[in-house]
Amino acid sequence: MSAPERPFALAGKRVWVAGHRGMVGSAVVRRLAREKCEILTVGRKEADLRRQDQAEAWLALAQPDAVFLGAATVGGILANDSRPAEFLYDNLAIETNVVQGAWKAGVKKLLFLGSSCIYPRLAPQPMKEEHLLTGPLEPTNQWYAIAKIAGLMMCQAYRRQYGADFISAMPTNLYGPGDTYDLRGSHVVPALILKAHVAKQSGAKSIEVWGSGSPRREFLHVDDLADALVHLMVNYSEEQTINVGTGQDVTIRELAEKVCRAVGFQGGLDFDASKPDGTPRKLLDVSRINALGWKAKTGLDQGLADAYAWYLAHVAKAA
Ligand code: GFB
């Protein structure tokens, strides 16, 4: 393996965005359009990345110089809690095949995407990268968390043993264009946008909010994440994983109130205590990525307005 190129110039490079149809992958494709690189994508029909033979065949054919590994099986708290085998198998298989395949194909740089749920349920807040594996995980998403911890450590292992310039980033809760709008499987932001929109259309008096409303969450607009990932791909080449977030959090109740304002729904909030709250708080310490010269730009109110506009243009109209 040749010495890492620093900074890693994207111009003229072949860059594969694995998971390009997802919310994160499509945001990375949008952001890379500003770079003078060749963007490579492949659909699940041509290459099911859970199959080692198909992942390696694609990599041998595509010969990318760089890989953004955003392909994953993702979902909100209920999807994680009710589909543990899928979340563990799919995500372990995808990351194992793509990291090993990228190394075999001589990929110069790979960025693996994890999630803030890798940290212990009761980690000190804000959560630093060093808090990894210092306590028990949140039960509702421990399966996804274990898979993402394994992926992060694969990048570290391939760097140590083979000198592979493979890095990883741990984003906080994400939202924005390309999100999944499904009442049961979605994360909280799209779920509440959908509920508030339908309630507004139907004249309902209130919307249902899961849990107590008291957990705190940090929300990063996916276009900010994409910009951070390109920044790390170009400027960062160390073993340490890097948190990506805004450094600010809100309660779920405050979020629901913001979503209702963004949607223009004036009804009330009904909290359903039978649904899980999950981790009480998941605020990331973002001092490392800030020190690397990147900061989130999109405030939550502006981001929610942008997400609702995307929903109206791409989901509500289709429905
Ligand atoms: O976004 P979310 O599903 O995932 O839930 P997590 C965040 C909080 O919002 C929880 C509450 O306390 C939910 O109870 N909530 C309120 C709702 N109403 C709703 C609703 O209608 N739908 C949903 N989904 N939540 C995820 C992990 O945890 O964080 C993933 O499960 C991933 O694996 C992601 O790591 C970043 O933030 O609790």
Side-chain angles (χ1 to χ4, degrees):
M1 221 14 140
S2 54
E5 186 187 327
R6 296 190 181 163
F8 187 77
L10 290 176
K13 294 257 187 357
R14 294 167 63 80
V15 182
W16 175 31
V17 180
H20 72 286
R21 289 206 178 95
M23 174 168 70
V24 171
S26 52
V28 172
V29 169
R30 271 197 304 277
R31 173 61 184 78
L32 285 176
R34 295 185 354 221
E35 306 294 322
K36 295 184 179 48
C37 61
E38 184 182 353
I39 302 172
L40 308 174
T41 61
V42 64
R44 195 174 304 195
K45 284 193 191 55
E46 295 91 334
D48 179 344
L49 301 178
R50 294 170 304 178
R51 301 290 308 273
Q52 185 175 31
D53 56 342
Q54 296 184 28
E56 294 194 359
W58 158 253
L59 277 153
L61 176 76
Q63 288 292 314
D65 299 303
V67 178
F68 286 89
L69 179 39
T73 291
V74 298
I77 189 167
L78 220 52
N80 272 266
D81 202 23
S82 54
R83 297 159 49 198
E86 271 179 80
F87 273 73
L88 197 50
Y89 168 70
D90 286 4
N91 291 303
L92 280 177
I94 290 167
E95 65 202 24
T96 308
N97 294 335
V98 175
V99 169
Q100 166 70 8
W103 170 67
K104 273 177 78 171
V107 166
K108 298 187 184 73
K109 194 156 187 186
L110 176 143
L111 189 160
F112 171 74
L113 260 139
S115 163
S116 61
C117 72
I118 63 166
Y119 294 111
R121 170 179 163 78
L122 301 174
Q125 305 287 322
M127 304 184 292
K128 291 182 184 304
E129 292 89 349
E130 291 81 353
H131 293 146
L132 180 62
L133 296 175
T134 57
L137 296 167
E138 157 59 35
T140 53
N141 55 42
Q142 59 187 326
W143 329 97
Y144 182 71
I146 287 288
K148 289 300 181 179
I149 292 169
L152 172 168
M153 294 189 77
M154 277 190 81
C155 293
Q156 295 174 335
Y158 279 64
R159 175 180 295 280
R160 284 193 187 184
Q161 184 167 347
Y162 305 128
D165 193 5
F166 292 181
I167 61 176
S168 66
M170 298 296 130
T172 189
N173 288 51
L174 303 170
Y175 70 99
D179 212 338
T180 301
Y181 283 83
D182 167 84
L183 282 181
R184 286 186 60 79
S186 289
H187 289 95
V188 61
V189 168
L192 292 183
I193 286 176
L194 179 54
K195 290 179 185 178
H197 176 79
V198 168
K200 184 175 84 170
Q201 301 293 83
S202 66
K205 295 269 173 296
S206 61
I207 60 168
E208 185 200 83
V209 180
W210 293 354
S212 65
S214 53
R216 299 186 70 88
R217 291 292 185 273
E218 175 187 18
F219 296 102
L220 178 68
H221 190 286
V222 73
D223 284 340
D224 279 355
L225 173 70
D227 189 52
L229 298 180
V230 170
H231 186 82
L232 289 172
M233 179 66 88
V234 171
N235 298 295
Y236 186 67
S237 279
E238 310 295 336
E239 182 175 290
Q240 172 64 50
T241 195
I242 299 283
N243 288 341
V244 187
T246 63
Q248 287 152 2
D249 62 359
V250 290
T251 65
I252 294 303
R253 174 188 290 275
E254 287 161 346
L255 171 73
E257 288 161 356
K258 285 177 175 288
V259 167
C260 291
R261 270 199 299 281
V263 169
F265 172 64
Q266 262 113 30
L269 306 175
D270 294 333
F271 289 91
D272 174 1
S274 74
K275 294 284 190 320
D277 268 342
T279 308
R281 194 176 188 200
K282 268 199 293 188
L283 177 65
L284 290 179
D285 178 301
V286 290
S287 42
R288 266 204 174 86
I289 195 163
N290 291 167
L292 285 168
W294 182 87
K295 258 177 96 64
K297 291 194 292 286
T298 311
L300 186 51
D301 293 321
Q302 180 205 332
L304 290 173
D306 175 71
Y308 184 46
W310 186 88
Y311 166 79
L312 289 175
H314 297 84
V315 184
K317 208 190 262 177

